């Protein structure tokens, strides 16, 4: 092949390779081989055809130009011939086929794609129309919705993984992008366009920082989907708002894009709910106070009223309550009850002049309420000063009306802060005040009734106790109904009785047993200013020490075994009268201190009791012992002795009352003859001489016993002794206060000697008319008990 031919081939090869490369470059630049919705099978076939053509001519170009450098010319020609004559046709056919098929495939695919695109376009237009229609419906729905609807958009979107504090901060930057007319109206605007673009932080609800933070924190914690949240906040103007809010977030890729909200005002509902709760609270408070005041007993009523005042203060949110009563006698106001959260009570009384302006209004039944003390008129200057002195800042004062008449006032006050009083508050307080007024009035009436009943009960108890005591006294009396005698010693004693009777001075009566000490005590009492009250007596020697305290001071129920009920003591019975302490020398030493306290202070406590009882009783004491000697021996308290020894009456023994024995004998005959059914009018001379010569160790009591015994044995109208009187020397001086014996002995020894002497005289016969018991004036059982106690036994002689 000649060079000209080769040159032409080279030009052709280079041209075709260049075109192939250009076509591939254009295809790549136009995105023929990018992945997408368009199928690229046909494009690959066209590209393959171009590549095969380009490769063939590139190889042919290399064989013509570069192959001679490595092979012989003959070999080059052989290769070129092979490429030109044999391979060209194959390469051309394959390339052409691929390109043709590729274009056919591309044409088919394009047709299909165009149809698809056209269908998608129709669908898109339909979707756009639907969206437009939906948006119209949505807008119409939003506008027709009764609730306020709005949408805030976060620019840029807020990452929900941010800390809550940061999210709260960025929530203020959200922009209002849509809302309905209701939302615009809630913002006091006419059209939504006037607030589109408003920041969330510029809304009134967001300006109440605390309320906004609670709301948005709840929104975050709910997963950015709140439903029925009650948002309560206060506007910068001070208005209260209450909303029920539904707030939903739009989140994409972990970021909050926007938030749609719908809200409605529930302020009226909340106010109605609060009012209902307030009425329920009021009804509960009223029921609690009513029940408490109606069911609490009188003794615990003070605590019940204070508890009720506390409940009233907590109901109306006050911190001090006072119940006062108008005292007409003193023209003052008495504070009955006071309750406070902070301080102590005011003074118990204050004059009406302190509240010269308020008092007439309250007295006329008006209610006074003020939020500030300075709101009171100029004419209430005194009232203002008094209120400020009490620390009161605001108050409501309601009259206590009982049976249509104001009798006091209920004052509910605040001392920490000022407050307004609504009409409802004042109506509620008037009802409660009426309840307090009736309760206090009823309580005072019940207390007066209880006091009257208590006085009646005490009088009844006193009368019953005095009746029992007087009956016992009558049964135990020895028959001394009057003082009989004309001796100078007796008249001296009677003059002393007349001198001391009219005073309240304690009296000590001293004398031997049987001299009539009780008659002297009765004479003093009957001539005193206390004669209309009883003379109560107690024999200190006749009761064991364990019973004296109970007898004197009384005891409470359960104070000791056998104390089945409360018992009034002799001191209690003698209140306003006279108490006669017979044989006080035998009063137990350990109780003398308690007796001294009663004599000094007029106070004592019952056995087993804690209440202090005051009495006013005159004390008359009697003894047959020398108390001064007992004080020296430490057997009697010196202070008690000096207390009762203010005025002493010394009764003479019968043996020293010359001329009184016939008078006394005749007196006892007149007293006992009729009782014994005897008609005896006189005493024989022998018996009278025997009586006058006898020393009478038993004194008047022994004389009475002799007369009684002789009356029993006498059958005629003249009283005569059936046997001579015993004149044993041992019986001649047994009285402790009588003539001194040769050797001083104590009372126990004297009593023992006396009983042994009588037993010796009766041959140790105890019972019977001639027995020792009869002579001693004792029951036989008592004498046997005394003998056992004193260790008296009959001595057996050889």
């Amino acid at each position: 092949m000649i060079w000209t031919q080769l040159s032409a081939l080279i030009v052709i090869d280079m041209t075709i390779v260049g075109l192939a490369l250009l076509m591939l470059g254009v295809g790549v630049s136009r995105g023929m081989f990018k992945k997408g919705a368009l199928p690229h099978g046909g494009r690959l076939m066209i590209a393959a055809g171009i590549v095969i053509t380009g490769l063939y001519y590139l190889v042919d170009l290399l064989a013509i130009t570069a192959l001679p450098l490595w092979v012989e010319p003959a070999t080059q020609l052989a290769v070129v011939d092979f490429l030109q004559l044999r391979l060209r046709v194959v390469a051309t056919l394959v390339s052409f086929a691929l390109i043709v098929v590729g274009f056919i495939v591309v044409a088919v695919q394009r047709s299909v794609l165009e149809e698809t695109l056209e269908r998608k376009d129709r669908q898109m237009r339909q979707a756009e129309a639907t969206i437009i229609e939906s948006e119209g419906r949505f807008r119409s729905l939003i506008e027709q919705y009764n609730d306020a609807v709005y949408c805030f958009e976060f620019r840029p979107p807020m990452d929900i993984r941010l800390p809550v504090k940061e999210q709260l901060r960025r929530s203020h930057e959200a922009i209002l992008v849509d809302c309905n007319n209701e939302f615009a109206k809630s913002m006091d605007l006419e059209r939504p366009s006037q607030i589109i673009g408003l920041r969330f932080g510029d809304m009134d609800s967001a300006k109440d920082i605390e309320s906004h933070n609670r709301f948005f924190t709840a929104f975050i914690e709910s997963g950015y989907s709140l439903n029925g949240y009650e948002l309560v906040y206060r506007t910068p103007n001070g208005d209260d708002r209450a909303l029920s809010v539904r707030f939903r977030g739009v989140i994409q890729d972990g970021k909050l894009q926007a938030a749609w909200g719908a809200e409605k005002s529930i302020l009226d509902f909340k106010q109605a709910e609060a009012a209902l709760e307030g009425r329920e609270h009021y009804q509960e408070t009223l029921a609690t106070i009513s029940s408490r005041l109606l069911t609490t007993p009188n003794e615990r009523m003070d605590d019940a009223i204070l508890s009720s005042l506390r409940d009233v203060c907590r109901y109306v949110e006050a911190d001090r309550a006072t119940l006062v009563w108008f005292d007409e006698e003193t023209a003052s106001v008495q504070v009955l009850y006071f309750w406070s959260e902070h301080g102590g009570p005011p003074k118990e009384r204050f004059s009406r002049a302190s509240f010269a302006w308020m008092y007439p209004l309250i007295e006329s039944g008006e209610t006074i309420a003020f939020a500030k003390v300075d709101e009171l008129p100029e004419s209430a200057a005194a009232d203002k000063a008094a209120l400020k002195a009490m620390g009161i800042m605001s108050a409501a004062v309601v009259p206590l009306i009982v049976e249509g008449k104001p009798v006091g006032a209920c004052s509910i006050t605040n001392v920490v802060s000022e407050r307004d009083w609504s009409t409802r508050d004042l109506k509620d307080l008037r009802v409660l005040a009426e309840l307090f007024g009736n309760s206090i009035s009823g309580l005072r009436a019940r207390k007066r009734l209880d006091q009257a009943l208590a006085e009646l009960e005490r009088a009844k108890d006193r009368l019953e106790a005095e009746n029992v005591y007087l009956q016992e006294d009558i049964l135990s009396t020895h028959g001394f109904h009057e003082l009989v005698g004309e001796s100078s010693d007796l008249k001296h004693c009677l003059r002393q009785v007349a001198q001391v009777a009219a005073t309240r001075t304690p009296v000590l009566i001293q004398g031997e047993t049987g001299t009539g000490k009780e008659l002297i005590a009765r004479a003093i009492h009957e001539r005193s200013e206390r004669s209309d009250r009883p003379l109560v007596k107690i024999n200190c020697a006749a009761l064991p020490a364990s019973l004296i305290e109970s007898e004197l001071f009384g005891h409470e129920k359960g104070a000791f075994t056998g104390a089945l009920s409360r018992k009034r003591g002799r001191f209690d019975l003698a209140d306003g009268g006279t108490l006669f302490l017979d044989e006080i020398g035998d009063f137990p030493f350990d109780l003398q201190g308690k007796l001294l306290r009663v004599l000094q202070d007029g106070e004592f406590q019952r056995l087993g009791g804690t209440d202090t009882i005051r009495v006013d009783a005159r004390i008359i004491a009697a003894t047959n012992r020398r108390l001064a000697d007992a004080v020296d021996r430490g057997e009697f308290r010196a202070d008690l002795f000096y207390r009762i020894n203010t005025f002493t009456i010394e009764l003479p023994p019968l043996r020293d009352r010359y001329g009184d024995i016939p008078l006394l004998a005749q007196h006892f005959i007149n007293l006992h003859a009729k009782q014994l059914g005897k008609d005896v009018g006189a005493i024989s001379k022998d018996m009278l001489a025997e009586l006058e010569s006898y020393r009478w160790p038993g004194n008047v009591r022994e004389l009475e016993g002799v007369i009684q015994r002789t009356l029993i044995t006498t059958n005629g109208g003249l009283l005569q002794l059936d046997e001579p009187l015993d004149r044993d020397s041992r019986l001649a001086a047994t009285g402790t206060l009588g003539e001194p014996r040769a050797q001083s002995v104590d009372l126990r020894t004297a009593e023992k000697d006396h009983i042994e002497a009588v037993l010796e005289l009766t041959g140790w016969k105890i019972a019977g008319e001639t027995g020792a018991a009869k002579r001693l004036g004792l029951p036989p059982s008592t004498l046997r008990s005394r003998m056992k106690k004193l260790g008296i036994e009959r001595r057996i002689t050889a």
Side-chain angles (χ1 to χ4, degrees):
M1 184 177 293
I2 62 175
W3 176 248
T4 1
Q5 293 177 334
L6 291 174
S7 298
L9 291 174
I10 290 171
V11 173
I12 293 170
D13 289 340
M14 291 179 66
T15 301
I16 293 174
V17 170
L19 289 173
L21 291 174
L22 179 62
M23 293 176 67
L24 287 175
V26 172
V28 170
S29 64
R30 299 298 297 271
M32 290 181 62
F33 306 106
K34 286 184 178 181
K35 293 181 178 180
L38 185 65
H40 53 275
R43 289 175 292 167
L44 291 177
M45 294 175 69
I46 294 172
I50 294 172
V51 169
I52 291 172
T53 301
L55 287 175
Y56 169 78
Y57 283 102
L58 178 61
V59 172
D60 187 59
L61 179 61
L62 291 175
I64 295 173
T65 59
L67 191 58
L69 298 177
W70 291 288
V71 296
E72 295 293 332
T75 303
Q76 177 193 11
L77 291 174
V79 172
V80 171
D81 289 338
F82 173 77
L83 291 173
Q84 291 293 328
L85 298 177
R86 297 183 180 182
L87 191 57
R88 181 188 294 272
V89 177
V90 175
T92 301
L93 291 175
V94 171
S95 299
F96 181 76
L98 287 173
I99 292 172
V100 171
V101 173
F103 276 110
I104 293 172
V105 171
V106 168
V108 173
Q109 289 177 343
R110 185 177 183 84
S111 176
V112 172
L113 179 60
E114 288 177 353
E115 291 180 0
T116 302
L117 290 175
E118 186 177 353
R119 184 173 65 253
K120 294 291 184 182
D121 185 56
R122 287 196 303 270
Q123 292 176 350
M124 186 176 296
R125 288 194 297 272
Q126 291 176 356
E128 289 176 353
T130 303
I131 290 172
I132 293 172
E133 183 180 358
S134 297
E135 288 181 350
R137 291 177 179 177
F138 180 69
R139 174 57 57 185
S140 176
L141 181 62
I142 289 177
E143 294 301 334
Q144 295 177 8
Y145 201 52
N146 293 329
D147 295 346
V149 180
Y150 51 87
C151 178
F152 281 95
E153 189 175 286
F154 291 84
R155 300 175 181 174
M158 183 175 67
D159 193 335
I160 62 176
R161 293 171 297 181
L162 291 173
V164 173
K165 187 175 182 179
E166 178 63 18
Q167 294 191 53
L168 290 175
R169 187 191 67 79
R170 294 190 60 181
S171 67
H172 290 266
E173 303 301 325
I175 303 299
L176 180 67
V177 295
D178 199 358
C179 68
N180 62 356
N181 288 328
E182 289 296 325
F183 185 75
K185 291 179 181 178
S186 70
M187 302 292 291
D188 297 327
L189 298 173
E190 295 181 359
R191 297 182 303 277
S193 59
Q194 294 177 279
I195 55 173
I196 296 298
L198 184 72
R199 292 171 60 254
F200 202 164
D202 294 332
M203 296 180 63
D204 287 345
S205 61
K207 292 177 182 178
D208 186 343
I209 299 298
E210 185 176 349
S211 298
H212 173 77
N213 288 347
R214 284 197 302 268
F215 162 67
F216 209 80
T217 300
F219 173 61
I220 295 171
E221 292 175 349
S222 67
Y224 302 92
S225 179
L226 271 181
N227 188 27
Y229 180 84
E230 292 186 358
L231 175 60
V232 180
Y233 66 95
R234 177 162 291 184
T235 67
N237 296 330
D239 298 331
D240 290 328
R241 296 286 177 86
L243 303 172
S244 177
V245 181
R246 296 190 299 275
F247 204 58
R248 301 290 178 88
V250 179
I251 298 175
Q252 290 182 359
D253 299 329
K255 293 184 178 181
L256 182 63
Q257 306 287 333
W260 280 90
E263 62 185 35
K264 63 180 178 180
S265 175
I266 55 172
L267 182 60
D268 293 341
F269 172 75
K270 297 295 288 185
Q271 290 175 343
E273 186 179 48
L276 181 59
E277 290 179 357
R279 300 323 297 160
E280 290 179 351
H281 187 193
Y282 169 70
Q283 295 296 335
E284 290 178 2
T285 302
L286 181 62
T288 299
I289 293 175
S290 300
S291 175
R292 181 186 295 139
L293 296 181
L294 288 174
T295 59
T296 302
N298 290 353
E299 60 270 16
R300 297 206 307 271
M301 184 58 77
D302 290 345
D303 292 336
I305 292 178
L306 289 176
S307 298
S308 300
L309 288 177
R310 176 201 62 202
D311 292 345
V312 172
C313 285
R314 291 177 178 174
Y315 167 66
V316 297
E317 297 180 354
D319 44 37
R320 181 184 289 181
T322 309
L323 289 177
V324 299
W325 204 260
F326 300 151
D327 191 335
E328 301 297 337
E329 295 182 0
T330 61
S332 63
V333 180
Q334 179 186 4
V335 177
L336 295 183
Y337 299 97
F338 176 85
W339 182 89
S340 174
E341 284 277 8
H342 307 290
K347 56 186 179 181
E348 295 183 356
R349 288 180 180 270
F350 47 87
S351 65
R352 298 183 182 182
S354 301
F355 297 94
W357 178 79
M358 297 175 64
Y359 183 81
L361 297 176
I362 296 296
E363 197 172 33
S364 64
E366 294 187 28
T367 297
I368 301 172
F370 53 87
K372 299 179 181 179
V373 174
D374 293 333
E375 290 180 358
L376 298 178
E378 293 296 330
S379 57
D383 304 66
K384 290 181 180 180
L387 291 169
K388 290 180 179 179
M390 295 179 182
I392 294 174
M393 302 184 70
S394 62
V397 185
V398 185
L400 302 179
I401 299 178
V402 178
E403 297 180 354
K405 178 183 178 182
V407 295
C410 175
S411 173
I412 307 298
T413 59
N414 286 73
V415 296
V416 175
S417 61
E418 298 173 348
R419 65 151 295 170
D420 293 322
W421 302 91
S422 66
T423 303
R424 174 58 64 186
D425 289 338
L426 299 181
K427 288 183 178 179
D428 293 346
L429 288 177
R430 287 189 72 92
V431 174
L432 293 168
E434 184 176 354
L435 185 60
F436 281 124
N438 290 329
S439 298
I440 295 174
S441 177
L443 175 63
R444 293 166 72 90
R446 289 195 299 273
K447 284 184 175 179
R448 291 193 295 268
L449 179 60
D450 289 344
Q451 290 174 354
L453 292 175
E455 289 294 332
L456 288 176
E457 189 66 25
R458 283 194 292 270
K460 177 183 176 183
D461 291 345
R462 184 185 296 275
L463 289 175
E464 289 179 351
E466 291 175 359
N467 182 48
V468 171
Y469 168 74
L470 292 174
Q471 289 179 2
E472 292 175 350
D473 191 35
I474 291 172
L475 292 175
S476 63
T477 184
H478 295 287
F480 296 109
H481 295 285
E482 58 181 325
L483 293 167
V484 177
E486 295 180 351
S487 64
S488 59
D489 289 341
L490 181 61
K491 289 181 178 179
H492 174 69
C493 292
L494 295 180
R495 283 195 297 271
Q496 287 182 300
V497 169
Q499 291 170 349
V500 79
T503 70
R504 297 187 177 186
T505 304
V507 179
L508 175 62
I509 304 173
Q510 295 188 125
E512 295 180 9
T513 300
T515 54
K517 296 187 288 296
E518 182 178 343
L519 289 179
I520 294 296
R522 288 186 182 279
I524 294 172
H525 173 70
E526 289 171 359
R527 287 164 176 76
S528 72
E529 61 184 10
R530 299 169 180 258
S531 58
D532 58 336
R533 300 293 298 149
L535 170 68
V536 180
K537 70 176 183 178
I538 183 169
N539 191 329
C540 301
L543 292 173
S546 59
L547 292 181
I548 287 182
E549 184 175 6
S550 174
E551 285 294 323
L552 270 180
F553 309 115
H555 62 254
E556 298 292 343
K557 180 179 179 181
F560 52 83
T561 303
L564 302 179
S565 62
R566 189 182 69 174
K567 178 182 178 181
R568 296 163 61 91
R570 299 298 173 93
F571 265 108
D572 211 353
L573 293 174
D575 187 22
T578 305
L579 180 64
F580 176 47
L581 299 174
D582 197 9
E583 303 300 348
I584 194 172
D586 296 320
F587 198 84
F589 188 83
D590 56 345
L591 292 179
Q592 291 177 16
K594 190 170 184 179
L595 175 60
L596 177 63
R597 181 194 173 194
V598 184
L599 299 183
Q600 288 178 335
D601 304 331
E603 295 179 350
F604 67 92
Q605 290 180 342
R606 291 193 180 100
L607 191 63
T610 57
D611 296 334
T612 299
I613 301 172
R614 297 192 59 85
V615 294
D616 176 22
R618 183 182 188 175
I619 302 300
I620 300 177
T623 181
N624 62 0
R625 302 176 60 189
R626 294 289 180 185
L627 291 184
D629 296 340
V631 171
D632 293 339
R633 293 192 301 271
E635 297 175 356
F636 201 86
R637 292 177 62 116
D639 47 4
L640 179 58
F641 171 68
Y642 296 128
R643 172 65 61 177
I644 64 175
N645 194 36
T646 306
F647 190 91
T648 303
I649 298 177
E650 188 83 30
L651 287 183
L654 184 57
R655 59 182 171 273
D656 294 339
R657 295 170 58 181
Y658 301 108
D660 287 346
I661 292 178
L663 295 175
L664 288 168
Q666 188 62 49
H667 169 73
F668 291 135
I669 291 173
N670 297 336
L671 181 64
H672 296 295
K674 187 175 182 181
Q675 295 177 357
L676 296 173
K678 300 289 185 177
D679 187 13
V680 178
I683 305 174
S684 67
K685 291 182 179 180
D686 294 339
M687 179 176 176
L688 187 58
E690 182 77 10
L691 294 178
E692 288 180 335
S693 63
Y694 185 60
R695 290 190 60 80
W696 298 108
N699 292 294
V700 178
R701 185 179 293 120
E702 186 181 3
L703 174 61
E704 183 181 17
V706 170
I707 297 299
Q708 283 183 288
R709 184 168 63 252
T710 305
L711 282 171
I712 293 173
T713 59
T714 297
N715 294 321
L718 187 65
L719 189 65
Q720 294 181 344
L721 285 171
D722 57 344
E723 59 182 26
L725 296 175
D726 182 11
R727 299 179 183 277
D728 191 286
S729 61
R730 288 177 298 176
L731 301 178
T734 57
T736 307
L737 293 175
E739 295 177 355
R741 297 175 60 179
Q743 184 178 0
S744 177
V745 295
D746 59 20
L747 181 61
R748 178 184 177 89
T749 303
E751 183 180 10
K752 181 179 180 181
D753 292 345
H754 180 58
I755 293 175
E756 287 180 343
V758 175
L759 288 169
E760 290 290 342
L761 289 174
T762 60
W764 289 84
K765 182 181 179 181
I766 296 176
E769 289 295 326
T770 59
K774 184 69 175 179
R775 284 178 174 264
L776 292 171
L778 297 173
S781 59
T782 302
L783 178 57
R784 290 189 179 93
S785 176
R786 293 279 181 90
M787 291 171 63
K788 184 176 181 181
K789 181 178 180 181
L790 297 171
I792 299 174
E793 296 180 355
R794 183 173 185 177
R795 293 182 293 274
I796 301 176
T797 58

